[in-house]
Amino acid sequence: MVGSGPAGLTFARVLHRHGYPVAVLERDPAPDARPPGGTLDLHEGLGQLALDKAGLLAEFQALSRPEGQAMRILDADGTVLRDWQPRPGDRANPEIDRGQLRDLLLGPLDVQWGRAVTQVVPGTRDGVLVQFADGRQETFDLVVGADGAWSRIRPAVSSVTPHYTGVTSVETSLDDVDTRHPDLARLIGDGSVAVYGVNRALVAQRNSGGHVKVHAQFRAPLDWHTNLDLADVEAVRSSLLALFDGWAAPVLDLLHHGTAFVHRPLYVLPVSHTWTHVPGVTLLGDAAHLMPPLGAGANLAMLEGAELAESIAAAPTPGDLDEAVRAFEEHMWVRASRWAKITTAGLERLVSPDPAEALALFDQVQPS
């Protein structure tokens, strides 16, 4: 397994539960080497099902935040257009911080930190050859690439690379929001608040511990920042405030009080990305089907990891391994293609020339 994100760790935990050894290779030198990112909503039939297969559902329920399912939508002038609150006992899509999920999945796993894979070569006499950045190499019976958008494993099965969607996200954060910024805390509520304008949006989402992630999303060329120093916090802030000029002051305070800004252009793989099966190598999650970040990616990745692990554990003999992987890929492609179409269409409506499209989309997916 290459990659210690949700897909890779779920795969490893389910195999571990079935008594199978698995080597998890991760380029980061330690679990906390990078900020873990924002919060995830895990769906009952996807991410939560994967955790159930790993025997971790009860622990997830103890850590997750059902109240984080709340969603509020404002007009650019600050008018509240929608204010959805979860019903009592609703656990359809509770939120959990990525760091908490990572630690839950890590459990007893022995991850090999600081092992950056540069290339895999299938079809050698001894199996699949894995080459590392430090010059070492090893062979494995099966290499599973769960190493994200810019996967080093993907070239072994596919020549396709991600392409830019035309939408960029610039992320910032607020800390200790309830005490330092109580007005913003009330604006955001228990879950998320979103404001949609012409070809742009501001979304703020609670994490645990009073931490809030803010995403400024807008349509722009990939090189929109050519004359902007992205390391200059105040320059980026001014650029974003100009982009959202005229929006209500309480909404713009999400940007005024942000700390560092992180540039995240949104890339995707083709909606129906498949490949000719290569014995000994397969992909999961973003490495296989990178799609817009609208709540499906991590859920699909975790369920794929759990399903592939179960398929491997159920293979009667080592000789049946390749057929199990081949069948898994066929199943994954169909489901991932369906979700890629949904999320691609969703991004088009959420960051569109007509802000009413975003509201209509939420009306379709939110309970009445």
Side-chain angles (χ1 to χ4, degrees):
M1 167 55 60
V2 181
S4 68
L9 293 182
T10 304
F11 171 78
R13 276 305 292 265
V14 174
L15 272 183
H16 181 272
R17 192 182 190 197
H18 286 276
Y20 284 76
V22 56
V24 181
L25 310 172
E26 170 56 52
R27 67 179 179 179
D28 285 347
D32 56 356
R34 289 183 294 156
T39 185
L40 293 170
D41 59 317
L42 296 192
H43 303 187
E44 277 182 321
L46 296 172
Q48 290 186 58
L49 177 57
L51 289 172
D52 193 26
K53 292 176 181 292
L56 297 172
L57 185 58
E59 293 177 62
F60 162 76
Q61 290 173 341
L63 289 169
S64 65
R65 294 176 284 105
E67 69 277 8
Q69 298 171 99
M71 180 71 192
R72 182 176 293 153
I73 297 182
L74 309 181
D75 202 349
D77 64 5
T79 302
V80 178
L81 302 176
R82 298 290 186 275
D83 194 355
W84 289 287
Q85 298 295 323
R87 296 185 177 93
D90 181 0
R91 301 198 65 91
N93 308 290
E95 299 282 343
I96 187 170
D97 289 10
R98 286 178 179 268
Q100 292 175 321
L101 179 63
R102 175 201 63 207
D103 293 344
L104 174 62
L105 289 168
L106 275 173
L109 297 178
D110 182 20
V111 177
Q112 299 180 28
W113 302 101
R115 302 210 68 194
V117 174
T118 56
Q119 186 181 13
V120 297
V121 182
T124 71
R125 184 182 62 185
D126 298 319
V128 181
L129 180 68
V130 176
Q131 299 176 343
F132 296 91
D134 61 7
R136 288 183 292 174
Q137 54 187 34
E138 296 181 36
T139 55
F140 296 88
D141 296 326
L142 173 66
V143 175
V144 180
D147 51 340
W150 305 102
S151 171
R152 297 301 181 91
I153 312 306
R154 188 190 302 124
V157 300
S158 171
S159 61
V160 173
T161 57
H163 63 270
Y164 178 51
T165 61
V167 175
T168 281
S169 179
V170 179
E171 177 189 298
T172 190
S173 300
L174 307 171
D175 288 312
D176 199 14
V177 68
D178 297 290
T179 55
R180 297 177 61 186
H181 310 293
D183 290 343
L184 285 180
R186 286 189 289 271
L187 181 78
I188 297 163
D190 290 332
S192 302
V193 64
V195 191
Y196 295 99
V198 176
N199 287 326
R200 65 207 64 195
L202 271 177
V203 181
Q205 187 174 42
R206 273 191 184 265
N207 290 228
S208 61
H211 186 72
V212 170
K213 291 287 187 185
V214 180
H215 303 271
Q217 301 171 339
F218 49 92
R219 293 196 175 273
L222 189 56
D223 62 354
W224 68 275
H225 58 286
T226 298
N227 298 316
L228 179 66
D229 180 2
L230 292 175
D232 185 335
V233 172
E234 293 309 319
V236 175
R237 191 192 318 278
S238 295
S239 178
L240 293 176
L241 288 170
L243 189 64
F244 292 91
D245 183 45
W247 287 32
V251 172
L252 295 182
D253 277 347
L254 294 168
L255 299 174
H256 276 296
H257 296 298
T259 51
F261 291 90
V262 182
H263 180 223
R264 301 191 189 282
L266 303 186
Y267 286 85
V268 294
L269 285 168
V271 164
S272 297
H273 178 228
T274 63
W275 55 87
T276 301
H277 174 73
V278 175
V281 183
T282 193
L283 306 173
L284 299 176
D286 287 352
H289 48 69
L290 180 66
M291 59 186 71
L294 299 182
N299 279 278
L300 287 175
M302 292 174 66
L303 186 56
E304 289 160 7
E307 289 177 342
L308 178 58
E310 288 186 333
S311 296
I312 291 171
T317 68
D320 295 308
L321 175 63
D322 187 60
E323 190 52 44
V325 173
R326 187 192 299 266
F328 160 78
E329 289 173 340
E330 296 283 348
H331 178 67
M332 173 180 64
W333 292 334
V334 172
R335 182 173 56 203
S337 176
R338 184 171 69 249
W339 277 101
K341 290 174 184 175
I342 292 170
T343 55
T344 298
L347 183 64
E348 288 296 315
R349 298 179 70 182
L350 291 177
V351 189
S352 82
D354 183 5
E357 278 294 308
L359 192 63
L361 175 62
F362 277 103
D363 281 340
Q364 290 174 11
V365 300
Q366 289 288 346
S368 58

